[in-house]
Amino acid sequence: MLSVEHVTKTYGKFTALEDISLTFTPGVYGLLAPNGAGKTTLIKMLTTLLFPTKGQILWEGEDIRALGAEYRGLLGYLPQQFGYYPSYTPRQFLRYAAALQCIPKREADGRIDHLLETVGLGDAADKKMKKFSGGMLQRVGIAVAMLNDPKLLILDEPTAGLDPRERVRFRNLIHTLAEDRIVILSTHIVSDIETIAGQIVMFKDHRLYCCDSPARICARFQGRVFQLPAGMPLAPGQFLLSEGQGADGPVLRVLCETPPVNGTPVTPGLEDAFLAIYREEQT
Ligand SMILES: Nc1ncnc2c1ncn2[C@@H]1O[C@H](COP(=O)(O)OP(=O)(O)O)[C@@H](O)[C@H]1O
Ligand SMILES: [Mg+2]
């Protein structure tokens, strides 16, 4: 179990995160918040690249700072910007990464074969990475992060730049990897996470807004999201969430407390919730 206890992080006078408390147990957690909300800051603290200004982070009850290398040994991390050598093949790159982690060669080779299959790169294992798509590179990165069979796998914006097929593949891969480990991934794209994460962590105004299942986050807005035909001015108290195409032409999705006369109630989705939660920032 990983516990974040009353963690605050300041950069000079700027408070990036304030008094965050969270508990992670095996399963998939999505850090979902707009750019600049502090996702990478939290991830860097979870990976000991940064330390909290206040508060502490505990692994099985012990401060990760005190655990040091022991903690890093059970951690797998894919940074937001992942560096690789274009002229290497995935197999060469994984061998290199394994050597850096002092994993014995024979053990590493078996594990590398298995991981390349798991991430769907068995056929591309010996091809140079310079020709790889974003999704293929990202899978190399995940394989590197998985080399030590981590108890805690942390991926910062792993879905950036993936095409729709690569997203589906990623989702399936995360489900495969999430058995018996904590997986924490960050994104600012709602659709990337709503079917992957069991728990969604959101920050607002530098504080924790929620850590809850997608269904329960959506339920907070039940009875408050309506679809209206486009082209009508919004009444006071109606907040525009999004515009889209309905069966009979353009429609608006609005958030409001009183049902609009010409509105149809709709089941709130995670995107509605996201837009509603971060509505101040939108205007
Ligand atoms: N090293 C730093 N020095 C000063 N401010 C920083 C630094 N790193 C991040 N920030 C600021 O902290 C806030 C959170 O950044 P970050 O954690 O990268 O957000 P996210 O990953 O959610 O986009 C931003 O306003 C960013 O400008
Ligand atoms: Mg970030």
Side-chain angles (χ1 to χ4, degrees):
M1 186 166 88
L2 179 68
S3 321
V4 174
E5 296 189 342
H6 300 291
V7 163
T8 293
K9 179 68 196 176
T10 58
Y11 295 112
K13 286 196 178 128
F14 176 74
T15 302
L17 288 173
E18 189 162 6
D19 197 24
I20 306 290
S21 293
L22 278 168
T23 305
F24 299 96
T25 55
V28 183
Y29 292 80
L31 308 181
L32 176 65
N35 280 326
K39 301 180 295 295
T40 296
T41 299
L42 179 65
I43 281 179
K44 286 190 173 166
M45 289 192 286
L46 296 178
T47 52
T48 71
L49 293 172
L50 282 178
F51 292 101
T53 312
K54 275 191 227 155
Q56 53 182 359
I57 303 174
L58 308 176
W59 173 260
E60 309 294 10
E62 287 199 60
D63 196 316
I64 60 171
R65 193 169 191 159
L67 288 171
E70 191 188 331
Y71 172 73
R72 284 187 290 275
L74 49 85
L75 179 73
Y77 169 48
L78 177 64
Q80 190 165 355
Q81 260 108 30
F82 134 69
Y84 66 98
Y85 299 114
S87 61
Y88 273 37
T89 68
R91 193 188 306 281
Q92 287 169 328
F93 190 56
L94 281 159
R95 281 185 175 154
Y96 164 74
L100 288 182
Q101 294 181 32
C102 303
I103 302 174
K105 190 169 181 309
R106 193 180 285 170
E107 186 188 323
D109 281 350
R111 189 140 181 86
I112 288 168
D113 280 339
H114 175 72
L115 275 173
L116 286 167
E117 287 301 326
T118 307
V119 300
L121 288 174
D123 293 340
D126 299 303
K127 299 203 170 111
K128 288 193 174 167
M129 292 192 280
K130 63 175 79 152
K131 296 214 171 124
F132 280 18
S133 70
M136 290 168 84
L137 287 173
Q138 176 240 39
R139 283 182 274 140
V140 175
I142 293 176
V144 171
M146 287 290 297
L147 264 175
N148 58 340
D149 194 14
K151 286 266 160 244
L152 176 60
L153 177 65
I154 300 182
L155 313 169
D156 198 357
E157 301 268 357
T159 54
L162 300 193
D163 72 27
R165 267 191 11 223
E166 290 173 332
R167 273 163 214 274
V168 173
R169 185 187 254 284
F170 173 76
R171 194 161 70 208
N172 297 341
L173 175 59
I174 293 300
H175 280 298
T176 312
L177 299 181
E179 282 168 19
D180 198 34
R181 73 180 101 228
I182 300 171
V183 179
I184 301 172
L185 54 104
S186 78
T187 183
H188 59 280
I189 304 164
V190 177
S191 57
D192 283 358
I193 216 170
E194 59 184 336
T195 52
I196 299 182
Q199 300 281 304
I200 305 251
V201 177
M202 288 179 164
F203 307 116
K204 188 165 182 201
D205 302 329
H206 313 292
R207 290 178 167 270
L208 183 70
Y209 175 81
C210 66
C211 175
D212 216 338
S213 68
R216 277 201 297 269
I217 293 171
C218 293
R220 295 174 187 214
F221 297 93
Q222 187 64 44
R224 293 158 63 198
V225 181
F226 299 87
Q227 193 166 291
L228 294 176
M232 312 264 284
L234 292 183
Q238 296 179 347
F239 173 79
L240 178 65
L241 293 171
S242 58
E243 302 175 39
Q245 281 299 323
D248 304 313
V251 289
L252 308 178
R253 282 172 92 91
V254 298
L255 177 76
C256 50
E257 302 303 326
T258 26
V261 262
N262 50 350
T264 318
V266 290
T267 307
L270 194 61
E271 185 174 71
D272 296 317
F274 182 88
L275 294 169
I277 290 163
Y278 297 110
R279 58 185 175 266
E280 282 87 350
E281 282 91 323
Q282 201 183 42
T283 48

